[in-house]
Amino acid sequence: MTVSGRFVKLTLALAASAALIASCSGSVKDPEDAVDRMLKAYGGERNIPLLTSFEGRGFRKQLPPGHVATNYPFDIFQRGMEYKTKTYRILEGQVVDLQLLVVNESERFAWSHGTGEAVVPEWEVEMIGYRFPMILECLNAGGHVLEHVESKYWDGLYHIRFEEKDNIVDVGLDEESFLVRQVVIGSVSNSSFSFREEYGDYVRTDGIWFPNRFIGYYKDVTYFEFLIPIVRFGIEFSDDVFTVMESDTAAAMP
């Protein structure tokens, strides 16, 4: 085959591929149809209470990364908008510090043995309602005016956008699986605000798809990255889990 013949063949293949992509994307009737497919991908709305009441264990990456990548043991607990994380700093097999974040109905608390108490930004608390897994409950509840928006370049995602209060929320669903791949939040009144969370390494646990990797960006700068390969769904938490417990702070005693 001549060079020109190979070029024509490649061009036709690319055109066919582009047509297939457009066809797949076009098969979604409207954003509501995409939400239905999303819910089906997670096993139906009956699984939302299981997904939004979970605990996970894994590792959190040190940010900003140094010359040697460092991962810290990491625990996460969530019940709706109640949220708690524990990040352990280990030295020679011993816990030498613990970073604690607690969000409940009345408190926002961040603390570590090394640096003491820190302020939890209110925007970070608000984002919990749009991050995975709460975005599933948010979309399933309805009441939003949804629109489909095209990305500037093809990214393999079906984008759904809606506004709530001062927030502009863009949810990117995988065009094949309809699992949530990213959530991007902007502000109506503050054009400089942006938060994005990306989800990867999906694994089926107890028959439910769940991302093992979470990467958050604040104003396009990496804000956190954690991996949680061990998860349990539908946990019946006691209320004191989402408070500062003596066992939390005791773990970081020198």
Side-chain angles (χ1 to χ4, degrees):
M1 184 181 292
T2 65
V3 172
S4 60
R6 287 197 297 270
F7 177 77
V8 170
K9 187 175 181 180
L10 176 60
T11 302
L12 291 173
L14 290 173
S17 195
L20 178 61
I21 290 168
S23 174
C24 292
S25 178
S27 65
V28 181
K29 293 184 295 184
D30 50 39
E32 288 74 17
D33 180 34
V35 170
D36 289 342
R37 296 183 186 210
M38 176 198 73
L39 294 174
K40 185 177 180 181
Y42 291 100
E45 62 182 58
R46 68 181 180 277
N47 280 347
I48 291 178
L50 302 179
L51 284 159
T52 55
S53 185
F54 80 94
E55 67 176 18
R57 304 187 189 281
F59 299 92
R60 184 167 187 156
K61 284 195 172 184
Q62 178 186 17
L63 295 174
H67 295 293
V68 179
T70 303
N71 294 325
Y72 298 119
F74 176 76
D75 299 338
I76 180 171
F77 311 86
Q78 184 164 355
R79 180 175 64 184
M81 288 294 292
E82 295 179 292
Y83 188 81
K84 182 176 185 177
T85 64
K86 297 192 286 186
T87 305
Y88 303 86
R89 183 165 172 257
I90 307 295
L91 183 64
E92 297 180 351
Q94 300 294 319
V95 177
V96 296
D97 202 355
L98 178 141
Q99 294 179 343
L100 182 67
L101 172 66
V102 174
V103 174
N104 57 39
E105 293 181 358
S106 59
E107 290 182 299
R108 291 90 169 89
F109 184 83
W111 174 90
S112 76
H113 178 77
T115 60
E117 190 172 349
V119 175
V120 180
E122 195 59 36
W123 68 261
E124 187 173 346
V125 176
E126 188 173 4
M127 292 304 101
I128 294 172
Y130 302 114
R131 296 170 55 195
F132 189 89
M134 291 302 291
I135 189 61
L136 305 180
E137 183 173 285
C138 179
L139 288 172
N140 183 55
H144 303 103
V145 178
L146 306 179
E147 61 173 323
H148 169 51
V149 292
E150 297 287 349
S151 56
K152 294 180 181 179
Y153 54 90
W154 182 73
D155 56 6
L157 303 179
Y158 183 95
H159 290 268
I160 297 172
R161 181 175 295 173
F162 65 91
E163 292 187 15
E164 186 173 65
K165 301 176 183 177
D166 192 51
N167 301 305
I168 305 169
V169 184
D170 183 312
V171 184
L173 306 178
D174 187 285
E175 287 189 337
E176 294 185 2
S177 66
F178 286 89
L179 298 171
V180 179
R181 288 294 183 178
Q182 71 173 26
V183 176
V184 181
I185 300 105
S187 170
V188 174
S189 63
N190 181 2
S191 60
S192 68
F193 176 83
S194 67
F195 175 81
R196 180 173 87 255
E197 188 169 54
E198 298 177 351
Y199 313 102
D201 299 347
Y202 266 90
V203 174
R204 203 176 182 94
T205 302
D206 295 335
I208 302 174
W209 288 107
F210 192 87
N212 279 183
R213 186 184 299 271
F214 291 65
I215 308 177
Y217 302 87
Y218 177 59
K219 296 184 178 181
D220 291 326
V221 176
T222 307
Y223 196 61
F224 58 76
E225 180 175 356
F226 56 82
L227 297 89
I228 45 175
I230 301 173
V231 291
R232 295 175 58 219
F233 303 128
I235 304 298
E236 295 290 339
F237 290 109
S238 60
D239 291 338
D240 60 353
V241 168
F242 297 97
T243 63
V244 181
M245 303 167 63
E246 183 179 350
S247 57
D248 294 330
T249 56
M253 293 299 291

